Amino acid sequence: MGFGSVDQARITTAISELARNIYLYANQGRIQIEEVRGSGKNGIRIIASDEGPGIKDIRNVMEDGFTTSGGLGAGLPGVKRLMDEFNIDSELENGTVITAIKWLR
């Protein structure tokens, strides 16, 4: 698609973190990667979805340092920083969908 090596590393890191979260919290899920075009821009959209327990408090999860797995607590806040757009939709007992977009510069 034309992403430079730095943005390729950012996208790869974001995908890895989203997949890790699916594994840790939902046991199974799906990562979709698709090209996106909008407002004269091209980019890549990552959609991480699962049917796990959902996120009880999204505000807490998005705080640096918050963790329920004993990690550093940099996961989802880090993904948000790496990507240009970021959204979480989660419902308790019904799963989570995280959508992130990186626009081509």
Side-chain angles (χ1 to χ4, degrees):
M1 289 184 61
F3 285 103
S5 59
V6 172
D7 278 341
Q8 288 178 37
R10 289 178 177 139
I11 293 164
T12 302
T13 301
I15 292 168
S16 176
E17 182 58 37
L18 293 169
R20 179 181 179 275
N21 282 355
I22 288 172
Y23 175 76
L24 284 176
Y25 299 109
N27 296 318
Q28 62 182 349
R30 179 176 175 168
I31 301 278
Q32 294 172 255
I33 302 169
E34 55 193 34
E35 188 174 359
V36 63
R37 297 176 190 268
S39 302
K41 299 187 285 186
N42 296 327
I44 190 168
R45 178 185 296 132
I46 313 303
I47 303 169
S49 58
D50 65 63
E51 295 178 5
I55 299 172
K56 185 175 182 179
D57 188 339
I58 292 174
R59 181 173 286 164
N60 277 346
V61 167
M62 293 307 297
E63 288 183 22
D64 283 316
F66 179 83
T67 181
T68 58
S69 68
L72 298 175
L76 292 180
V79 172
K80 183 176 182 179
R81 283 190 294 273
L82 291 169
M83 303 298 280
D84 296 319
E85 295 183 26
F86 180 88
N87 184 63
I88 298 177
D89 183 26
S90 188
E91 187 176 327
L92 288 179
E93 306 304 323
N94 287 317
T96 300
V97 177
I98 297 174
T99 305
I101 297 174
K102 185 61 147 179
W103 294 109
L104 188 60
R105 299 175 199 275

